[in-house]
Amino acid sequence: MIFNKMIQKANIFDINISQQKNYLKIPFPNLDYQKENHPYCGMSLKIAGSMRFRNAETNQNRLDFFASLGIDINRLVQPELSHSKEVYNCFRDDSHNLVFESFLTNSFQQKPVVGDGIITKEKSLVPVITVADCVPIWFYEPDSQVFGIVHSGWKGTGIIENALQFAEKKYKAKIPNFRVIIGPHIHSCCYKVDKEREQFFNSNFAPDSCVNQMLSLEKANLFLLGKIGIKPENLISIENCTSCETDFGSFRRETGANIEKPFTVMSCFTFYTDFTKY
């Protein structure tokens, strides 16, 4: 795939500008942060502990982690993951209440929400998802100032297309102008699947998404991003494999794919650093 060969690839630790030891703070590509205010991408590391999120639970470790970054918990907007293609447009109404607009149903609701992605223009908010081998994809369009993040597991592959189309529809964002980062996830070196899933991915995404039953979620998502018109210079695909590298939490590495065993869930989020302005 020509598009795949043109995009930038990077080790996430090479582009990390954070001095913290328990999370990464990453700039979007092809932007001048010295002259203009843009959001950053964030990702907790395994050392930070589990960031598991459920609407009906309180995870004190997660609260303490965001507090340590100076991020008020009330700024976080996070759906409880469902491994779907559901994306929410999050905004404040006239009474300053948070409203979540569903991409799939066109309905409106307040918290709690269940889904796998958030878009917003509210600079005071911090869209968050969690991952533990699935693909975090951060995105930002500087003209409309829409930013957000999606959780793209194998069942939800295609959610990034929904998110960017939603931003185009609601805020007139220009899809070719989006800056996109495909974050650390389990790569094809470690992700063996059955023949049925191999056929599904090769039929619906890039024909080489899965080779010898080793699935590349990266190739599938790059195929989608190229199809909808993301420019190669505005895209970074992170090479780090969460299953190979112990800096990251990993469902497969930590449990051997046994759902009964505990594993480290990481938070991925998009945020502006100076909340006093908003």
Side-chain angles (χ1 to χ4, degrees):
M1 301 293 291
I2 295 176
F3 179 81
N4 291 9
K5 294 178 181 179
M6 292 173 64
I7 61 97
Q8 308 169 67
K9 292 200 174 187
N11 182 304
I12 200 167
F13 296 105
D14 293 337
I15 61 172
N16 168 35
I17 64 169
S18 170
Q19 299 303 308
Q20 301 292 325
K21 294 182 179 180
N22 63 352
Y23 87 107
L24 300 165
K25 177 183 169 190
I26 312 131
F28 282 100
N30 200 18
L31 294 171
D32 189 341
Y33 279 80
Q34 299 299 316
K35 293 183 179 179
E36 297 176 306
N37 191 27
H38 302 294
Y40 287 88
C41 309
M43 182 176 190
S44 67
L45 294 171
K46 186 176 186 294
I47 194 173
S50 182
M51 300 291 149
R52 172 183 158 116
F53 175 77
R54 297 287 187 273
N55 285 317
E57 295 179 359
T58 298
N59 181 342
Q60 191 60 48
N61 184 66
R62 176 177 174 271
L63 301 182
D64 293 343
F65 169 77
F66 281 105
S68 73
L69 304 186
I71 298 175
D72 189 305
I73 197 69
N74 294 315
R75 298 186 186 275
L76 303 181
V77 285
Q78 177 164 3
E80 181 174 321
L81 299 185
S82 58
H83 295 270
S84 68
K85 297 181 184 179
E86 176 67 285
V87 181
Y88 292 95
N89 171 35
C90 185
F91 60 94
R92 296 189 187 277
D93 63 17
D94 293 340
S95 299
H96 210 61
N97 297 312
L98 283 178
V99 178
F100 293 83
E101 179 183 6
S102 163
F103 174 81
L104 295 179
T105 67
N106 297 314
S107 61
F108 297 83
Q109 66 184 92
Q110 295 183 340
K111 290 182 179 179
V113 292
V114 176
D116 290 82
I118 295 284
I119 68 168
T120 190
K121 282 187 63 174
E122 301 275 352
K123 295 180 181 180
S124 64
L125 299 180
V126 180
V128 189
I129 54 95
T130 49
V131 295
D133 278 336
C134 293
V135 189
I137 307 179
W138 296 274
F139 50 90
Y140 168 58
E141 203 276 296
D143 289 348
S144 65
Q145 299 191 325
V146 175
F147 63 106
I149 188 165
V150 296
H151 162 270
S152 182
W154 81 264
K155 292 180 182 178
T157 302
I159 189 174
I160 185 59
E161 187 172 9
N162 289 356
L164 301 191
Q165 288 178 351
F166 205 13
E168 181 182 49
K169 176 182 176 181
K170 301 306 299 186
Y171 298 113
K172 295 182 171 55
K174 303 178 184 70
I175 287 183
N177 201 33
F178 268 98
R179 274 60 172 171
V180 179
I181 298 178
I182 298 176
H185 61 279
I186 187 169
H187 282 256
S188 58
C189 52
C190 297
Y191 196 10
K192 188 170 185 177
V193 298
D194 58 32
K195 284 286 189 180
E196 183 179 2
R197 196 178 305 182
E198 178 179 59
Q199 183 178 4
F200 171 80
F201 270 85
N202 290 342
S203 298
N204 290 279
F205 305 103
D208 60 346
S209 294
C210 195
V211 178
N212 296 324
Q213 295 179 254
M214 304 304 289
L215 176 58
S216 173
L217 294 172
E218 177 194 45
K219 286 184 178 180
N221 280 289
L222 287 174
F223 171 82
L224 290 170
L225 291 167
K227 184 182 76 170
I228 64 177
I230 298 298
K231 296 178 181 178
E233 63 267 28
N234 291 339
L235 171 63
I236 293 176
S237 184
I238 302 300
E239 296 179 311
N240 303 76
C241 173
T242 53
S243 183
C244 286
E245 300 182 37
T246 57
D247 290 298
F248 304 100
S250 168
F251 169 68
R252 288 219 169 188
R253 186 186 70 247
E254 294 180 58
T255 72
N258 182 349
I259 194 65
E260 301 299 323
K261 293 183 179 180
F263 56 96
T264 309
V265 179
M266 297 172 291
S267 277
C268 295
F269 48 101
T270 328
F271 67 115
Y272 282 84
T273 55
D274 189 356
F275 288 123
T276 60
K277 293 182 178 180
Y278 312 115

